Amino acid sequence: MAGGIRNMTMPQILSFAVIFIMMAALVWGRYRYDLVAAAALLLALAVGIVPFDQAFSGFSDDIVVIVGSALLVSAGIARSGIMEVTIKRFAPNLSGVRSQLALLVIVVTILSAFVKNIGALAIMIPIAFQFARRSSISPSIFLMPMAFGSLLGGLMTQVGTSPNIVVSRVREELTGTAFTMFDFTPVGAALAAAGTIFLVFFYWLLPVREKLGGSVNEAINIKNYLTEARIVRDSTVLGKTVADLIKLSGGDVVVTSILRNRTMRMTPLPDVVLKVNDILLLEGDPEALDRLVSQGKLSVTGNRASGDDTTSELVAIEAVIGESSPLIGWTAQRLALYHRFNVNLLAVSRHGERLDRRLAEVQLRLGDVVVLQGNAATIPEILRELGCLPLAERAILLGSVRKGIVPVIILALAMLATAFGLLPVSVAFFAAAVGMVLFRVIPVRDVYQSLDGPILVMLAVLIPVSDSLRSTGATGVIAGELAKLGTILPATGALMLILVAAMAVTPFLNNAATVLVMAPIAAEFAGDLGYRPEAFLMAVAIGAGCDFLTPIGHQCNTLVMGPGGYRFSDYPRLGLPLSFLVVIVAVPMLMIVWPMS
């Protein structure tokens, strides 16, 4: 080992040094990860291990496109409301954190065996946020275990993850026979089962985090909005009771009154049956109100469109009534708000007071918070005319048109295209992201809010820095030292060495690149020791597919970093013991399933 280090070139030494400094800074956590990554790139350029013409090559890398597109697709799935319906149908009473986590991890693990793991994770992230809201906990409890579960699930089949596909090709080149679809299943299923049990029972090793870089809008916490909604002919709650209606919001909305036949006010007892044209006065926070309205298919606007252009984009904005507002002392009805200004009053909130009148009859006061819906192009001017001060912009979906099954179809088509090899993952997910915008699942104005800029920048600038290990030949030095060490180890130790080495290398190389570098070494290594190569090739695939220690080794880990508010140092807290478990389970399983002699 010492001889290998002494023979290292200066570029190789500098490459290791830059990586070490960067990792130390990320673990320290004093500066945000994208700034650390950018500084590492500048340092790599300064010492010459990254050529100037390769400095920004990471911005065109497939991984950046995949992660950005997956974030947008996941936002589209969440916005559609389909996840709320799914939860209500298949897990209506699931309230315990551990049972919720078990469902999420098991489903994403099984899905990842048959579709790309980042696609499976994108489907389940919105459900994780729904569970987190239901249980009043941080989504960080769910997201990292789900990401790790998606990596474990990918180990079970040939199409589950890129390393399995690459190692199959390498085996065919070396022996003339490729691994088949389910050759990976015995060992992969054992690892997935052991890993899932670990994640469900030891998730508490992970610190609870909130999303980093939260804006002022996330501090706005208005719980007592009053809105009114009408039961229409296609409402899902028509003919059902008030109690059934409340279940749609998870108990987070209160029905304060029911108006029937326009004049008769009814007490909203739980067993009151809802009829067509009943008007419900509802109180709750915007998310709960939106959940109830969208799932119950209620009308909050009376089918009034804002403006004459039916193709215009409608937005809902929260605003505070200022001291010079002409709204003060008037009701929306008396002011003819819709007819004069082409905006709908969707909700009103008044501090310290429960409103019990119809929305159009509420006399507005200074300091009231209102939700107004109007044309995206004209509503800023209307707010100025009405003397209302907009709150920090956040997604208010109340009264918005949902696309239902459309985003699910878009995502399904993307995953099928990758599963059958019709399109590369990057192209398929980019097309899905564009489809989300073209079909108006996500409004154009919200596209860049759905992308996590710091994560994408971190990925893009780290790609050339990590690649310096390969371009300077530093990975070759590692491989040579492994070969020397393996000659003095028993069969179990040699197999473990290859597995751990692949795990150690994959954070700094693309996982497919790790297989391309490590698989020939592993095969030659096995031949020199007189062993069959299959177990060693499988060990490389497992190691390359199991980066649980960093957010940069696999796009699934990167995908949850921003939404979960994780720090770089959070990953090894849960990932290091999981890595040990993988090694402990994988080595004997490999020796049983793939005899070495």
Side-chain angles (χ1 to χ4, degrees):
M1 180 73 75
I5 294 175
R6 283 196 299 270
N7 294 329
M8 287 175 61
T9 64
M10 183 54 67
Q12 291 167 353
I13 295 172
L14 290 173
S15 181
F16 280 121
V18 170
I19 294 291
F20 176 80
I21 293 170
M22 178 192 72
M23 296 291 288
L26 288 169
V27 171
W28 185 28
R30 176 69 180 274
Y31 301 100
R32 203 170 68 178
Y33 43 82
D34 54 333
L35 182 59
V36 171
L41 175 60
L42 291 175
L43 180 59
L45 290 168
V47 300
I49 59 173
V50 174
F52 291 126
D53 61 351
Q54 295 295 313
F56 305 113
S57 59
F59 286 92
S60 62
D61 193 278
D62 284 358
I63 292 178
V64 178
V65 176
I66 291 169
V67 171
S69 300
L71 286 167
L72 197 60
V73 170
S74 179
I77 295 289
R79 189 182 180 93
S80 71
I82 198 74
M83 292 297 105
E84 291 94 330
V85 176
T86 302
I87 292 173
K88 292 297 180 185
R89 182 167 183 176
F90 296 106
N93 301 313
L94 203 61
S95 57
V97 174
R98 179 165 281 133
S99 58
Q100 290 173 340
L101 179 62
L103 176 65
L104 291 167
V105 173
I106 291 170
V107 171
V108 80
T109 300
I110 294 173
L111 280 176
S112 295
F114 302 101
V115 300
K116 289 296 182 183
N117 42 25
I118 194 165
L121 186 59
I123 292 174
M124 298 302 294
I125 284 176
I127 296 182
F129 276 96
Q130 286 298 319
F131 279 158
R133 281 193 288 268
R134 178 189 290 184
S135 301
S136 300
I137 59 174
S138 170
S140 66
I141 292 174
F142 298 137
L143 294 181
M144 191 184 295
M146 288 167 60
F148 290 172
S150 71
L151 299 186
L152 291 167
L155 302 177
M156 290 196 284
T157 63
Q158 187 183 36
V159 298
T161 187
S162 298
N164 290 1
I165 298 172
V166 176
V167 85
S168 297
R169 190 180 70 197
V170 172
R171 187 201 185 197
E172 184 176 21
E173 292 172 353
L174 292 174
T175 68
T177 304
F179 288 119
T180 63
M181 178 73 168
F182 297 105
D183 279 346
F184 299 86
T185 304
V187 179
L191 290 172
T196 298
I197 293 170
F198 170 83
L199 292 169
V200 170
F201 286 96
F202 293 92
Y203 69 91
W204 50 265
L205 293 171
L206 190 64
V208 177
R209 301 292 189 197
E210 298 297 334
K211 183 175 181 180
L212 298 176
S215 56
V216 132
N217 61 328
E218 294 173 355
I220 299 171
N221 189 25
I222 300 173
K223 295 290 188 183
N224 65 329
Y225 270 120
L226 168 75
T227 191
E228 66 178 55
R230 185 185 300 273
I231 303 291
V232 294
R233 294 196 179 277
D234 62 345
S235 295
T236 61
V237 291
L238 178 62
K240 296 184 179 180
T241 65
V242 170
D244 295 326
L245 175 75
I246 295 301
K247 287 179 182 178
L248 297 180
S249 71
D252 295 330
V253 171
V254 175
V255 182
T256 60
S257 189
I258 301 175
L259 299 177
R260 182 165 290 171
N261 299 326
R262 295 185 176 274
T263 56
M264 185 172 65
R265 185 181 289 262
M266 302 177 59
T267 302
L269 299 173
D271 58 350
V272 171
V273 177
L274 301 172
K275 299 182 178 181
V276 173
N277 291 326
D278 280 355
I279 295 173
L280 312 175
L281 300 188
L282 308 171
E283 184 178 283
D285 66 75
E287 286 188 355
L289 289 170
D290 171 61
R291 203 156 57 238
L292 185 148
V293 167
S294 62
Q295 292 181 42
K297 293 187 177 180
L298 310 180
S299 171
V300 293
T301 63
N303 296 322
R304 297 175 303 194
S306 292
D308 298 327
D309 181 7
T310 57
T311 65
S312 61
E313 184 183 340
L314 297 181
V315 296
I317 292 182
E318 293 170 293
V320 181
I321 296 179
E323 59 183 357
S324 60
S325 173
L327 297 176
I328 295 175
W330 290 77
T331 67
Q333 188 176 57
R334 288 179 56 204
L335 194 61
L337 187 65
Y338 171 72
H339 296 289
R340 291 179 59 189
F341 298 98
N342 279 329
V343 293
N344 291 314
L345 177 64
L346 298 186
V348 179
S349 175
R350 181 171 295 163
H351 181 68
E353 183 177 341
R354 168 170 281 184
L355 302 172
D356 59 359
R357 303 176 67 85
R358 287 197 62 180
L359 201 58
E361 299 172 356
V362 173
Q363 190 175 63
L364 300 172
R365 299 180 186 172
L366 172 67
D368 283 353
V369 180
V370 294
V371 177
L372 298 175
Q373 182 194 57
N375 188 306
T378 60
I379 201 165
E381 179 60 35
I382 292 171
L383 287 176
R384 284 191 290 271
E385 191 174 346
L386 293 176
C388 296
L389 306 174
L391 296 177
E393 187 176 351
R394 60 174 174 167
I396 299 295
L397 301 180
L398 183 63
S400 63
V401 177
R402 304 306 176 89
K403 298 298 181 179
I405 201 68
V406 172
V408 177
I409 294 173
I410 292 173
L411 180 56
L413 289 174
M415 293 194 299
L416 286 172
T418 60
F420 289 99
L422 302 176
L423 291 174
V425 179
S426 54
V427 175
F429 271 82
F430 181 75
V434 173
M436 293 288 181
V437 182
L438 288 177
F439 286 94
R440 298 191 175 186
V441 176
I442 298 178
V444 174
R445 64 188 175 86
D446 290 343
V447 168
Y448 293 101
Q449 294 177 11
S450 301
L451 300 175
D452 199 322
I455 289 293
L456 299 181
V457 169
M458 179 194 73
L459 268 182
V461 298
L462 279 188
I463 286 169
V465 175
S466 298
D467 192 54
S468 68
L469 287 173
R470 180 197 57 79
S471 61
T472 60
T475 52
V477 174
I478 296 172
E481 296 306 315
L482 285 177
K484 294 177 184 177
L485 183 59
T487 59
I488 61 173
L489 294 175
T492 303
L495 189 59
M496 185 181 296
L497 177 65
I498 290 295
L499 176 58
V500 172
M503 280 183 167
V505 171
T506 196
F508 309 107
L509 293 178
N510 174 279
N511 52 16
T514 298
V515 175
L516 290 173
V517 170
M518 292 295 299
I521 295 170
E524 184 177 350
F525 183 54
D528 291 344
L529 297 177
Y531 301 130
R532 294 174 59 85
E534 285 80 8
F536 290 85
L537 292 174
M538 282 284 185
V540 170
I542 292 169
C546 290
D547 174 30
F548 305 123
L549 302 180
T550 73
I552 59 178
H554 196 281
Q555 56 263 36
C556 288
N557 291 355
T558 310
L559 184 62
V560 301
M561 187 178 186
Y566 298 119
R567 300 173 186 171
F568 195 94
S569 58
D570 291 340
Y571 285 79
R573 294 194 183 191
L574 185 64
L576 187 60
L578 180 57
S579 298
F580 279 123
L581 179 64
V582 167
V583 174
I584 292 170
V585 174
V587 171
M589 282 297 298
L590 285 170
M591 297 181 74
I592 293 170
V593 177
W594 300 98
M596 297 172 64
S597 59

